[in-house]
Amino acid sequence: MPNVLLSVVTWNSADSIEACLRSALAQTYTDFELWVVDNASADDTRARVQALAATDARLRLHALPTNTGFCGGHNYALDRTATELVLLVNPDVEMAPDYLARAVAAMHQHPRIGTVCGLLLQTTEPDPRIDSAGMLRRTGGRFGLRLHGQRLSEAGPLARTDVAGADGALPLLRRLCIDDLRVEGAFFDPRFFAHKEDWDVAWRSQLYGWRTVFEPACRALHPRQFLPASLAVRRRLGGALKADAVKNQWLLLVKNTPARQVPAMLVQALPRQVFIIFYLMLFERTSLKALSYVWQHRHGLLASRRLVQARATRPPTAAFEDSPHLPAPRAAAPAPAALPRTGWRPALAPPPLLSICVPTYHRPGLLARALRSLGPLPPEVEVLVSDNSTANDLGGRVARLGLRRQPAGQWRYYRNAPGSTAADNFAACIRRARGHYLYHLHDDDFLRPGGLARLVAELRTSRGQHEVLLFGVDVVDARKRVLRRQYPSHRRWLAPVQALTRVLTDSSWVRIPALVASRAAYLATPPDPAQEDTDDTDLWARFFGQWGVLLVPGCIAAYTVHEGALTTSMFNEHTVELLLRIFTKAQAQGLLPAPRLRQAQAQFFNQFVLAGAYRSLRRHDAATARRVLKLLKLPALQGLPVALRWLPIKLVFNAITWVAALALATEAATLAESL
């Protein structure tokens, strides 16, 4: 896999695209792939790109059927690649041959550097004017081009330094930073389309604790075509671009302003925004649609704000904790002498594609079955057995015996400290795993034949595109008899709102051995220990609410329902209280409209309680079933709307338990009379 992706987004860029691509292909750092994502150009941009692609295998054209803007085009490339670094390249930029080599060397100076930007010049004259040297932060939630318009001689000696952000024309980004900055799965907010999206990224980078470094040795030509702050130039711009400029400033302010800074931001930003509104009313009424857009999309915008601010409250190191430094550049020119590599060290072996986490607790027989089901491990898979057993070492013996034929470097066994809970074990697995994706296979579950091969094949395709995937499973009993086949009907992606609604409606939709999520998703959305044994349901809700989920048809594993399972003892008032916390969180964050959330809650708890009663009735334990059914009479559940779907089943179960209780009372009376 190449080390760097060069992503170019074009739209009617025939005049400049050839010079841009020739400068990219001439870089001294050669370990890259070059994607051109064309937004349905009407000129001969695509033909020019294809002609160059015929001369260099690193260049690929991706022709989109519609114009998705700067944001949509780059998101297309980012979501379909997995390189460690990404250089975003405007189609009107021409890079010096050593631009990429110097930028990569600067990136290696510290793992907290998320972005490197260079010196962009407007002309090739002896003393050119500077287009940008990174960005600076202004008041009112605005950013500006640093040193813009100054002659190079006027700027004085330029040194490497941290800046507020990087101009979107030519920034080098660390993939870990890209993934950390994603909101609802997207790096660039598609609502911005093509203006101020670099401001949005710069602000979010600061909130999350990433550094942006300006490297003056990186130089490129960028003859900027307009100045956003110039009214004279603004009058010559297209209506859509002007409306975007207004809309996107409001998006920036709403999404990124921390709550504690809102009063100060109002003082700074409000006068300018009021002036802009009056200006639009007098001279540019077509741009007033920007304000109506913000109002129409307010719910989605506020949902994005909650995600951004929630991530911003976590420590900056959370994004790259346990993450290795970038590996040494391959096929790259030596770093210039002026760019020392102090503080940087080569990484260990690259992380695997998949970590299979196997939590276990005093069930050596079931653990042996789970490990046998793995079969030979593909080279990009590791296995971690995390054992909470305390009474004996049978789990360790079974793990070592069951994995002895696997490559020594691809499995590890951990014996956890006494007193560790199931939630502790879950968190420990996430902390120890090194894979890009994490998969939890509890000791009482097992993979179906060919399940691991199917899983790995899908993850190879989905890496860089999807953070969360849900496969099919068989629900089986202790004798491995299939009780239910739970497969997605067809391959499709559920957007966050759809996925969250589904998981908060159907209490049994997600079975643990059906779900795979990226390590980045787990680090950004860690389990909540306060949820105790419901931490998995809570985690799925937060996963789906942020990233959505890809549904993959076909069965990979079996989920076992048996007397020793933890879930058999969870149908009680305390578990209901824990599950209610999940809905309270969703309500507080406004992830779903209140009526939809309330309907989902009614469906969820009716299904949950009836499932518990059904399990008891299968064991011919009518007394326990009756106690479980009484959970629906708890004050917190009694006020929920009637879930008509479950009403007939509820009536039948109540009748069964009533008849069973009556029969038991009759039998007791008869026995008393005989005595």
Side-chain angles (χ1 to χ4, degrees):
M1 182 184 296
N3 197 42
V4 184
L5 168 71
L6 273 60
S7 175
V8 185
V9 174
T10 56
W11 182 70
N12 296 335
S13 307
D15 292 343
S16 62
I17 190 60
E18 288 175 299
C20 171
L21 296 181
R22 291 186 191 281
S23 75
L25 295 172
Q27 291 296 298
T28 58
Y29 187 103
T30 59
D31 189 18
F32 64 83
E33 57 183 328
L34 174 55
W35 281 31
V36 176
V37 181
D38 184 75
N39 273 320
S41 291
D43 60 9
D44 64 342
T45 297
R46 294 182 179 181
R48 293 172 184 256
V49 174
Q50 286 175 328
L52 279 174
T55 67
D56 197 311
R58 295 174 297 175
L59 174 57
R60 296 174 58 186
L61 172 66
H62 297 262
L64 302 186
T66 58
N67 186 359
T68 62
F70 179 95
C71 296
H74 281 305
N75 281 345
Y76 176 93
L78 294 174
D79 293 346
R80 288 162 176 79
T81 55
T83 57
E84 293 151 351
L85 300 173
V86 178
L87 182 69
L88 307 182
V89 185
N90 265 25
D92 57 349
V93 161
E94 295 179 44
M95 291 180 279
D98 61 351
Y99 187 99
L100 184 55
R102 291 179 178 273
V104 170
M107 182 71 81
H108 284 150
Q109 300 308 302
H110 197 282
R112 196 182 293 250
I113 297 174
T115 309
V116 173
C117 58
L119 179 65
L120 304 186
L121 303 171
Q122 292 184 338
T123 64
T124 57
E125 58 190 313
D127 189 17
R129 290 194 181 275
I130 296 173
D131 179 61
S132 73
M135 292 198 299
L136 50 85
R137 184 76 179 266
R138 291 176 174 163
T139 60
R142 299 169 61 243
F143 289 77
L145 298 176
R146 185 169 168 265
L147 305 181
H148 178 79
Q150 293 187 29
R151 293 287 182 183
L152 188 57
S153 60
E154 298 170 353
L158 297 176
R160 184 192 301 163
T161 185
D162 282 31
V163 291
D167 178 16
L170 198 60
L172 180 69
L173 300 161
R174 191 188 294 269
R175 176 70 66 168
L176 187 59
C177 175
I178 290 171
D179 291 341
D180 188 34
L181 265 60
R182 289 179 183 270
V183 180
E184 297 175 299
F187 176 67
F188 284 120
D189 189 333
R191 291 170 294 205
F192 280 68
F193 193 74
H195 192 51
K196 295 184 180 178
E197 72 291 322
D198 48 0
W199 294 16
D200 183 44
V201 168
W203 198 340
R204 205 154 65 246
S205 294
Q206 290 182 336
L207 288 174
Y208 293 6
W210 288 98
R211 291 173 55 193
T212 300
V213 170
F214 165 66
E215 174 49 72
C218 299
R219 299 200 174 189
L221 176 67
H222 184 225
R224 192 173 296 269
Q225 297 178 358
F226 68 91
L227 298 175
S230 170
L231 289 179
V233 175
R234 182 182 178 87
R235 294 191 183 99
R236 299 198 298 268
L237 299 178
L241 188 59
K242 290 187 284 190
D244 275 345
V246 177
K247 163 180 67 71
N248 293 350
Q249 185 62 52
W250 282 87
L251 298 183
L252 278 166
L253 292 169
V254 174
K255 281 175 55 181
N256 299 316
T257 305
R260 66 182 183 281
Q261 296 178 9
V262 168
M265 187 62 71
L266 286 174
V267 172
Q268 297 171 6
L270 196 58
R272 179 182 178 86
Q273 297 307 314
V274 170
F275 168 79
I276 289 173
I277 292 173
F278 277 108
Y279 175 85
L280 298 182
M281 294 174 64
L282 295 174
F283 304 108
E284 198 178 293
R285 293 189 179 182
T286 57
S287 293
L288 288 173
K289 62 184 179 182
L291 303 181
S292 65
Y293 177 95
V294 173
W295 176 252
Q296 291 169 6
H297 294 79
R298 64 190 184 279
H299 296 300
L301 180 57
L302 291 174
S304 296
R305 171 182 170 77
R306 284 186 285 271
L307 292 172
V308 170
Q309 299 305 320
R311 167 63 187 87
T313 59
R314 294 197 297 274
T317 53
F320 23 78
E321 183 181 6
D322 297 332
S323 299
H325 290 268
L326 291 171
R330 302 181 301 274
L339 298 175
R341 299 169 77 97
T342 55
W344 176 80
R345 56 179 175 83
L348 301 174
L353 172 67
L354 174 66
S355 294
I356 300 177
C357 304
V358 187
T360 184
Y361 177 67
H362 286 313
R363 291 193 289 216
L366 292 175
L367 175 61
R369 182 183 70 175
L371 296 180
R372 283 196 305 270
S373 73
L374 297 174
L377 292 180
E380 63 265 63
V381 175
E382 69 169 6
V383 175
L384 290 76
V385 178
S386 186
D387 191 357
N388 269 3
S389 302
T390 55
N392 54 56
D393 190 39
L394 288 178
R397 295 180 189 177
V398 167
R400 297 180 185 95
L401 184 64
L403 296 170
R404 71 188 187 283
R405 299 188 186 277
Q406 305 289 6
Q410 289 183 237
W411 65 271
R412 285 170 280 159
Y413 170 82
Y414 296 93
R415 182 80 174 272
N416 299 322
S420 297
T421 65
D424 295 334
N425 204 348
F426 189 34
C429 287
I430 296 170
R431 185 174 63 252
R432 292 161 175 161
R434 296 178 55 245
H436 182 87
Y437 287 98
L438 274 62
Y439 176 62
H440 292 271
L441 183 72
H442 284 199
D443 58 8
D444 53 348
D445 302 325
F446 55 95
L447 288 168
R448 284 302 198 187
L452 181 55
R454 180 192 295 267
L455 172 59
V456 171
E458 179 59 42
L459 295 183
R460 288 170 181 157
T461 303
S462 296
R463 181 171 181 171
Q465 301 182 52
H466 299 286
E467 300 296 323
V468 184
L469 301 89
L470 188 66
F471 294 79
V473 294
D474 288 332
V475 180
V476 302
D477 63 13
R479 298 181 181 180
K480 303 201 317 188
R481 295 176 299 188
V482 176
L483 305 176
R484 178 183 176 189
R485 299 189 185 278
Q486 194 165 314
Y487 306 166
S489 58
H490 57 281
R491 182 186 178 90
R492 62 188 177 121
W493 182 74
L494 295 184
V497 171
Q498 295 174 291
L500 181 62
T501 301
R502 180 71 186 274
V503 78
L504 292 183
T505 300
D506 187 346
S507 65
S508 63
W509 181 45
V510 179
R511 307 290 187 177
I512 288 180
L515 186 129
V516 184
S518 70
R519 184 172 183 269
Y522 276 108
L523 292 176
T525 317
D528 181 359
Q531 290 292 153
E532 300 178 20
D533 293 336
T534 64
D535 55 350
D536 52 354
T537 303
D538 174 66
L539 191 60
W540 311 155
R542 289 185 288 142
F543 271 174
F544 296 162
Q546 183 165 351
W547 286 283
V549 63
L550 177 68
L551 304 182
V552 184
C555 177
I556 63 169
Y559 172 83
T560 307
V561 178
H562 60 97
E563 290 301 315
L566 181 65
T567 52
T568 58
S569 61
M570 67 183 301
F571 299 97
N572 53 58
E573 186 172 348
H574 181 59
T575 301
V576 169
E577 293 173 356
L578 293 173
L579 292 170
L580 283 169
R581 291 183 75 247
I582 300 173
F583 287 87
T584 302
K585 293 177 188 177
Q587 181 180 17
Q589 297 173 20
L591 299 181
L592 290 177
R596 183 186 297 185
L597 184 63
R598 188 165 178 78
Q599 291 174 358
Q601 190 172 356
Q603 293 282 351
F604 183 96
F605 281 103
N606 274 273
Q607 183 187 29
F608 173 78
V609 171
L610 293 174
Y614 174 72
R615 292 192 183 189
S616 298
L617 291 174
R618 279 181 58 87
R619 301 193 305 268
H620 306 289
D621 186 354
T624 300
R626 188 164 57 253
R627 286 197 299 271
V628 172
L629 288 171
K630 287 182 179 179
L631 292 174
L632 290 174
K633 296 182 180 181
L634 292 172
L637 302 184
Q638 207 167 13
L640 293 175
V642 177
L644 297 179
R645 174 186 176 187
W646 302 109
L647 186 58
I649 300 175
K650 179 181 176 182
L651 294 175
V652 170
F653 282 8
N654 277 322
I656 292 174
T657 57
W658 182 81
V659 169
L662 182 62
L664 183 62
T666 302
E667 182 179 351
T670 303
L671 180 61
E673 290 176 0
S674 66
L675 293 175

Short mmCIF file of all heavy atoms in Angstrom, two decimals, residues 568 571-572 609 612-631 653-665:
data_model
loop_
_atom_site.label_atom_id
_atom_site.label_comp_id
_atom_site.label_asym_id
_atom_site.label_seq_id
_atom_site.Cartn_x
_atom_site.Cartn_y
_atom_site.Cartn_z
N THR A 568 -29.25 -14.25 30.85
CA THR A 568 -30.39 -14.92 31.48
C THR A 568 -30.77 -14.28 32.81
O THR A 568 -31.89 -14.45 33.28
CB THR A 568 -30.09 -16.41 31.70
OG1 THR A 568 -28.92 -16.53 32.52
CG2 THR A 568 -29.86 -17.12 30.38
N PHE A 571 -33.02 -9.73 33.38
CA PHE A 571 -34.38 -9.22 33.26
C PHE A 571 -34.89 -8.83 34.65
O PHE A 571 -35.65 -9.56 35.29
CB PHE A 571 -35.27 -10.26 32.59
CG PHE A 571 -34.81 -10.61 31.21
CD1 PHE A 571 -34.03 -11.73 30.99
CD2 PHE A 571 -35.12 -9.80 30.14
CE1 PHE A 571 -33.59 -12.05 29.72
CE2 PHE A 571 -34.69 -10.10 28.86
CZ PHE A 571 -33.91 -11.23 28.66
N ASN A 572 -34.43 -7.66 35.11
CA ASN A 572 -34.78 -7.19 36.43
C ASN A 572 -34.87 -5.67 36.43
O ASN A 572 -34.56 -5.00 35.43
CB ASN A 572 -33.76 -7.68 37.47
CG ASN A 572 -32.34 -7.31 37.08
OD1 ASN A 572 -32.02 -6.14 36.90
ND2 ASN A 572 -31.48 -8.31 36.95
N VAL A 609 -38.84 -7.01 27.78
CA VAL A 609 -39.53 -7.71 28.87
C VAL A 609 -40.16 -9.01 28.37
O VAL A 609 -40.08 -10.06 29.03
CB VAL A 609 -40.59 -6.78 29.50
CG1 VAL A 609 -41.47 -7.55 30.47
CG2 VAL A 609 -39.91 -5.61 30.21
N GLY A 612 -37.62 -11.71 27.97
CA GLY A 612 -37.27 -12.32 29.26
C GLY A 612 -38.34 -13.28 29.74
O GLY A 612 -38.02 -14.36 30.26
N ALA A 613 -39.61 -12.91 29.57
CA ALA A 613 -40.70 -13.81 29.97
C ALA A 613 -40.69 -15.08 29.12
O ALA A 613 -40.92 -16.19 29.64
CB ALA A 613 -42.03 -13.08 29.83
N TYR A 614 -40.40 -14.92 27.83
CA TYR A 614 -40.37 -16.08 26.94
C TYR A 614 -39.29 -17.07 27.36
O TYR A 614 -39.51 -18.29 27.38
CB TYR A 614 -40.13 -15.61 25.50
CG TYR A 614 -39.93 -16.74 24.51
CD1 TYR A 614 -40.99 -17.55 24.12
CD2 TYR A 614 -38.67 -16.98 23.98
CE1 TYR A 614 -40.81 -18.58 23.22
CE2 TYR A 614 -38.47 -18.01 23.07
CZ TYR A 614 -39.54 -18.81 22.69
OH TYR A 614 -39.35 -19.84 21.81
N ARG A 615 -38.12 -16.56 27.72
CA ARG A 615 -37.04 -17.45 28.16
C ARG A 615 -37.45 -18.22 29.41
O ARG A 615 -37.15 -19.41 29.56
CB ARG A 615 -35.78 -16.65 28.42
CG ARG A 615 -35.15 -16.06 27.18
CD ARG A 615 -33.77 -15.53 27.46
NE ARG A 615 -33.17 -14.91 26.29
CZ ARG A 615 -31.90 -14.52 26.22
NH1 ARG A 615 -31.10 -14.67 27.28
NH2 ARG A 615 -31.42 -13.97 25.13
N SER A 616 -38.14 -17.54 30.31
CA SER A 616 -38.59 -18.23 31.54
C SER A 616 -39.64 -19.29 31.22
O SER A 616 -39.62 -20.39 31.79
CB SER A 616 -39.13 -17.21 32.54
OG SER A 616 -38.13 -16.30 32.91
N LEU A 617 -40.55 -18.96 30.32
CA LEU A 617 -41.59 -19.93 29.96
C LEU A 617 -41.01 -21.15 29.26
O LEU A 617 -41.51 -22.26 29.42
CB LEU A 617 -42.65 -19.26 29.08
CG LEU A 617 -43.53 -18.21 29.78
CD1 LEU A 617 -44.43 -17.51 28.77
CD2 LEU A 617 -44.36 -18.86 30.89
N ARG A 618 -39.94 -20.94 28.48
CA ARG A 618 -39.28 -22.08 27.83
C ARG A 618 -38.70 -23.04 28.87
O ARG A 618 -38.56 -24.24 28.62
CB ARG A 618 -38.18 -21.60 26.88
CG ARG A 618 -38.68 -21.14 25.53
CD ARG A 618 -37.51 -20.69 24.66
NE ARG A 618 -36.54 -21.76 24.47
CZ ARG A 618 -36.61 -22.68 23.52
NH1 ARG A 618 -37.62 -22.68 22.67
NH2 ARG A 618 -35.68 -23.61 23.41
N ARG A 619 -38.33 -22.49 30.04
CA ARG A 619 -37.81 -23.33 31.13
C ARG A 619 -38.94 -23.83 32.03
O ARG A 619 -38.67 -24.41 33.09
CB ARG A 619 -36.81 -22.53 31.97
CG ARG A 619 -35.62 -21.98 31.22
CD ARG A 619 -34.53 -21.49 32.17
NE ARG A 619 -35.02 -20.52 33.13
CZ ARG A 619 -35.00 -19.20 32.93
NH1 ARG A 619 -34.52 -18.71 31.80
NH2 ARG A 619 -35.46 -18.37 33.85
N HIS A 620 -40.18 -23.55 31.61
CA HIS A 620 -41.37 -23.94 32.40
C HIS A 620 -41.34 -23.28 33.78
O HIS A 620 -41.77 -23.87 34.77
CB HIS A 620 -41.45 -25.47 32.54
CG HIS A 620 -41.40 -26.20 31.23
ND1 HIS A 620 -42.44 -26.18 30.33
CD2 HIS A 620 -40.40 -26.93 30.66
CE1 HIS A 620 -42.10 -26.89 29.27
NE2 HIS A 620 -40.87 -27.36 29.43
N ASP A 621 -40.83 -22.06 33.81
CA ASP A 621 -40.73 -21.30 35.06
C ASP A 621 -41.73 -20.14 34.98
O ASP A 621 -41.37 -18.99 34.71
CB ASP A 621 -39.30 -20.80 35.25
CG ASP A 621 -39.10 -20.13 36.61
OD1 ASP A 621 -40.08 -19.96 37.35
OD2 ASP A 621 -37.93 -19.76 36.92
N ALA A 622 -42.99 -20.44 35.20
CA ALA A 622 -44.04 -19.43 35.08
C ALA A 622 -43.93 -18.35 36.15
O ALA A 622 -44.27 -17.18 35.91
CB ALA A 622 -45.42 -20.09 35.15
N ALA A 623 -43.44 -18.69 37.32
CA ALA A 623 -43.32 -17.71 38.40
C ALA A 623 -42.34 -16.61 38.02
O ALA A 623 -42.60 -15.42 38.20
CB ALA A 623 -42.89 -18.40 39.68
N THR A 624 -41.17 -17.01 37.47
CA THR A 624 -40.19 -16.00 37.04
C THR A 624 -40.74 -15.19 35.88
O THR A 624 -40.54 -13.97 35.80
CB THR A 624 -38.87 -16.68 36.64
OG1 THR A 624 -38.36 -17.38 37.77
CG2 THR A 624 -37.85 -15.65 36.19
N ALA A 625 -41.43 -15.85 34.94
CA ALA A 625 -42.03 -15.13 33.82
C ALA A 625 -43.00 -14.08 34.31
O ALA A 625 -43.05 -12.95 33.79
CB ALA A 625 -42.72 -16.12 32.89
N ARG A 626 -43.77 -14.41 35.34
CA ARG A 626 -44.73 -13.45 35.89
C ARG A 626 -44.01 -12.26 36.51
O ARG A 626 -44.43 -11.10 36.34
CB ARG A 626 -45.62 -14.16 36.92
CG ARG A 626 -46.79 -13.31 37.40
CD ARG A 626 -47.84 -14.16 38.11
NE ARG A 626 -47.27 -14.90 39.25
CZ ARG A 626 -47.06 -16.22 39.24
NH1 ARG A 626 -47.33 -16.94 38.17
NH2 ARG A 626 -46.57 -16.83 40.30
N ARG A 627 -42.89 -12.52 37.20
CA ARG A 627 -42.13 -11.41 37.79
C ARG A 627 -41.53 -10.51 36.70
O ARG A 627 -41.49 -9.29 36.84
CB ARG A 627 -41.02 -11.97 38.69
CG ARG A 627 -41.51 -12.53 40.00
CD ARG A 627 -40.36 -12.68 41.00
NE ARG A 627 -39.33 -13.60 40.52
CZ ARG A 627 -39.37 -14.92 40.74
NH1 ARG A 627 -40.37 -15.45 41.43
NH2 ARG A 627 -38.41 -15.70 40.29
N VAL A 628 -41.07 -11.14 35.62
CA VAL A 628 -40.50 -10.35 34.52
C VAL A 628 -41.57 -9.47 33.88
O VAL A 628 -41.34 -8.29 33.60
CB VAL A 628 -39.83 -11.27 33.48
CG1 VAL A 628 -39.41 -10.47 32.24
CG2 VAL A 628 -38.63 -11.98 34.08
N LEU A 629 -42.76 -10.04 33.66
CA LEU A 629 -43.84 -9.26 33.03
C LEU A 629 -44.23 -8.06 33.88
O LEU A 629 -44.66 -7.03 33.36
CB LEU A 629 -45.05 -10.16 32.78
CG LEU A 629 -44.90 -11.19 31.64
CD1 LEU A 629 -46.06 -12.16 31.65
CD2 LEU A 629 -44.80 -10.47 30.30
N LYS A 630 -44.07 -8.16 35.18
CA LYS A 630 -44.42 -7.05 36.06
C LYS A 630 -43.49 -5.84 35.88
O LYS A 630 -43.80 -4.75 36.35
CB LYS A 630 -44.39 -7.51 37.52
CG LYS A 630 -45.56 -8.40 37.91
CD LYS A 630 -45.51 -8.79 39.38
CE LYS A 630 -46.70 -9.65 39.76
NZ LYS A 630 -46.66 -10.06 41.20
N LEU A 631 -42.36 -6.04 35.18
CA LEU A 631 -41.45 -4.91 34.93
C LEU A 631 -42.15 -3.83 34.11
O LEU A 631 -41.82 -2.64 34.23
CB LEU A 631 -40.19 -5.39 34.20
CG LEU A 631 -39.24 -6.29 34.99
CD1 LEU A 631 -38.12 -6.80 34.09
CD2 LEU A 631 -38.65 -5.53 36.17
N PHE A 653 -48.95 -14.17 27.09
CA PHE A 653 -48.03 -14.51 28.17
C PHE A 653 -48.69 -14.29 29.53
O PHE A 653 -48.49 -15.09 30.46
CB PHE A 653 -46.76 -13.67 28.06
CG PHE A 653 -45.79 -14.15 27.01
CD1 PHE A 653 -46.14 -15.17 26.14
CD2 PHE A 653 -44.54 -13.58 26.89
CE1 PHE A 653 -45.26 -15.61 25.17
CE2 PHE A 653 -43.64 -14.01 25.94
CZ PHE A 653 -44.01 -15.03 25.07
N ASN A 654 -49.45 -13.21 29.67
CA ASN A 654 -50.15 -12.97 30.94
C ASN A 654 -51.16 -14.09 31.22
O ASN A 654 -51.31 -14.54 32.37
CB ASN A 654 -50.87 -11.62 30.90
CG ASN A 654 -49.94 -10.47 31.23
OD1 ASN A 654 -49.08 -10.59 32.10
ND2 ASN A 654 -50.09 -9.35 30.55
N ALA A 655 -51.84 -14.54 30.17
CA ALA A 655 -52.81 -15.62 30.35
C ALA A 655 -52.12 -16.91 30.77
O ALA A 655 -52.59 -17.63 31.66
CB ALA A 655 -53.60 -15.83 29.04
N ILE A 656 -50.98 -17.20 30.14
CA ILE A 656 -50.24 -18.43 30.48
C ILE A 656 -49.79 -18.39 31.94
O ILE A 656 -49.96 -19.38 32.69
CB ILE A 656 -49.03 -18.60 29.54
CG1 ILE A 656 -49.50 -18.90 28.12
CG2 ILE A 656 -48.12 -19.72 30.04
CD1 ILE A 656 -48.37 -18.93 27.10
N THR A 657 -49.23 -17.27 32.36
CA THR A 657 -48.74 -17.19 33.74
C THR A 657 -49.90 -17.21 34.73
O THR A 657 -49.79 -17.75 35.83
CB THR A 657 -47.90 -15.92 33.94
OG1 THR A 657 -48.67 -14.76 33.60
CG2 THR A 657 -46.65 -15.95 33.07
N TRP A 658 -51.05 -16.59 34.32
CA TRP A 658 -52.22 -16.60 35.21
C TRP A 658 -52.75 -18.03 35.37
O TRP A 658 -53.05 -18.47 36.48
CB TRP A 658 -53.30 -15.69 34.64
CG TRP A 658 -54.52 -15.62 35.51
CD1 TRP A 658 -54.71 -14.85 36.62
CD2 TRP A 658 -55.73 -16.36 35.32
NE1 TRP A 658 -55.96 -15.06 37.15
CE2 TRP A 658 -56.62 -16.00 36.37
CE3 TRP A 658 -56.17 -17.30 34.39
CZ2 TRP A 658 -57.89 -16.53 36.49
CZ3 TRP A 658 -57.44 -17.83 34.51
CH2 TRP A 658 -58.28 -17.45 35.56
N VAL A 659 -52.84 -18.76 34.25
CA VAL A 659 -53.32 -20.15 34.31
C VAL A 659 -52.35 -21.00 35.12
O VAL A 659 -52.75 -21.83 35.94
CB VAL A 659 -53.48 -20.71 32.89
CG1 VAL A 659 -53.72 -22.23 32.94
CG2 VAL A 659 -54.62 -20.02 32.17
N ALA A 660 -51.04 -20.78 34.91
CA ALA A 660 -50.05 -21.55 35.66
C ALA A 660 -50.15 -21.25 37.15
O ALA A 660 -50.05 -22.16 37.99
CB ALA A 660 -48.65 -21.22 35.15
N ALA A 661 -50.37 -19.97 37.50
CA ALA A 661 -50.50 -19.61 38.91
C ALA A 661 -51.76 -20.22 39.51
O ALA A 661 -51.76 -20.71 40.65
CB ALA A 661 -50.52 -18.09 39.04
N LEU A 662 -52.86 -20.21 38.72
CA LEU A 662 -54.11 -20.80 39.20
C LEU A 662 -53.95 -22.30 39.41
O LEU A 662 -54.41 -22.86 40.42
CB LEU A 662 -55.22 -20.51 38.20
CG LEU A 662 -56.62 -21.03 38.58
CD1 LEU A 662 -57.10 -20.38 39.88
CD2 LEU A 662 -57.61 -20.76 37.45
N ALA A 663 -53.28 -22.95 38.46
CA ALA A 663 -53.07 -24.40 38.59
C ALA A 663 -52.21 -24.71 39.80
O ALA A 663 -52.45 -25.68 40.53
CB ALA A 663 -52.42 -24.93 37.31
N LEU A 664 -51.20 -23.87 40.04
CA LEU A 664 -50.33 -24.09 41.19
C LEU A 664 -51.10 -23.89 42.48
O LEU A 664 -50.94 -24.66 43.44
CB LEU A 664 -49.14 -23.12 41.12
CG LEU A 664 -48.08 -23.27 42.22
CD1 LEU A 664 -47.45 -24.67 42.15
CD2 LEU A 664 -47.01 -22.20 42.09
N ALA A 665 -51.97 -22.87 42.51
CA ALA A 665 -52.77 -22.63 43.72
C ALA A 665 -53.75 -23.78 43.96
O ALA A 665 -53.96 -24.21 45.10
CB ALA A 665 -53.52 -21.30 43.57
#
